Amino acid sequence: MSRSLRRGALAATAVVFSIASLAACGAGQDAQTLQIKPDNAAATKGEIEVQNALVITQGQKGEKGPAVVSATLFNNGTKAQTLDGITLPGGKGKVTLKPAEGSGKVTVPALGSVVIGGKGNASAVIEDGAATVRDGEVQKVAFQLSSTGGIELEAFVVPATGMYAPYGPTAAPAASPAAGSTPSGTPSGSPSGAATGTASGSPSGSPSGSAAGTPSGSPSHSAGH
């Protein structure tokens, strides 16, 4: 083979090697991109995907009240499934599920999704959340689907502040007055004087007693998630 032909063969080999290297780099970048996961907990089992799972507590540190589970469930199947329950494995908190409207179970529609948490969406409330979960921790959460079964993941526990505020629990209800108690700021005074004069031909008597008692107490509380 002549020297010029050898040079041409080497050049062609170099070009092919360069293209192969670029293709390999591109494939590697695509693979890494596909492996990127959301910051919040996510898991997939069968046709169900659970994304952006969080446990959200009351907004103020030390504030008592319920916590909630927030997540989005996607159904890639052609049949609807129901979310039969959410549990906290290893925890003591009871989770109460409610659909966005009406009563019954939360449904994940076929080729659709359902959002848990936030105004107008389904809800999952952890009773006595303040005693069950702690901000900054990771809490195991299990979603039980009618066909897929259980999907377990580890969700971050965050307070209902900033971007999480719209999805957090409502404030703990204020304590109601005990039975038989009355408001402390009710009027305590009553008129102590009464009219002592009576009509005797002409009005000779005038009321000698005037209303000496005035309401000394005024309601101390004004009417005031």
Side-chain angles (χ1 to χ4, degrees):
M1 181 182 292
S2 66
R3 185 176 298 174
S4 60
L5 289 176
R6 284 198 298 270
R7 288 199 197 97
L10 290 172
T13 302
V15 170
V16 172
F17 180 79
S18 298
I19 293 174
S21 298
L22 289 174
C25 291
Q29 289 173 356
D30 290 342
Q32 291 174 358
T33 301
L34 293 174
Q35 291 174 2
I36 293 176
K37 297 180 180 179
D39 292 337
N40 299 329
T44 301
K45 182 178 179 181
E47 298 169 336
I48 299 295
E49 296 180 30
V50 181
Q51 294 187 7
N52 297 322
L54 290 165
V55 175
I56 307 178
T57 65
Q58 297 288 331
Q60 299 297 325
K61 184 177 180 180
E63 185 174 355
K64 296 182 179 180
V68 297
V69 176
S70 176
T72 302
L73 277 69
F74 295 89
N75 184 357
N76 298 315
T78 56
K79 293 183 178 180
Q81 293 195 43
T82 57
L83 179 59
D84 295 336
I86 297 178
T87 58
L88 307 179
K92 299 179 181 178
K94 179 183 177 182
V95 183
T96 302
L97 269 174
K98 288 185 179 180
E101 296 180 355
S103 59
K105 294 183 178 181
V106 176
T107 301
V108 189
L111 301 176
S113 63
V114 63
V115 177
I116 300 174
K119 186 177 181 180
N121 300 320
S123 63
V125 179
I126 306 172
E127 298 177 9
D128 197 14
T132 304
V133 294
R134 298 285 187 275
D135 292 340
E137 294 183 347
V138 174
Q139 172 65 52
K140 288 184 178 181
V141 182
F143 298 80
Q144 188 68 36
L145 281 300
S146 56
S147 298
T148 301
I151 302 177
E152 186 173 314
L153 47 75
E154 294 185 337
F156 292 117
V157 181
V158 298
T161 57
M163 62 185 293
Y164 304 119
Y167 302 93
T170 56
S176 57
S181 65
T182 56
S184 60
T186 54
S188 60
S190 59
S192 61
T196 59
T198 57
S200 59
S202 63
S204 60
S206 60
S208 61
S210 59
T214 57
S216 61
S218 59
S220 59
H221 298 286
S222 59
H225 319 223

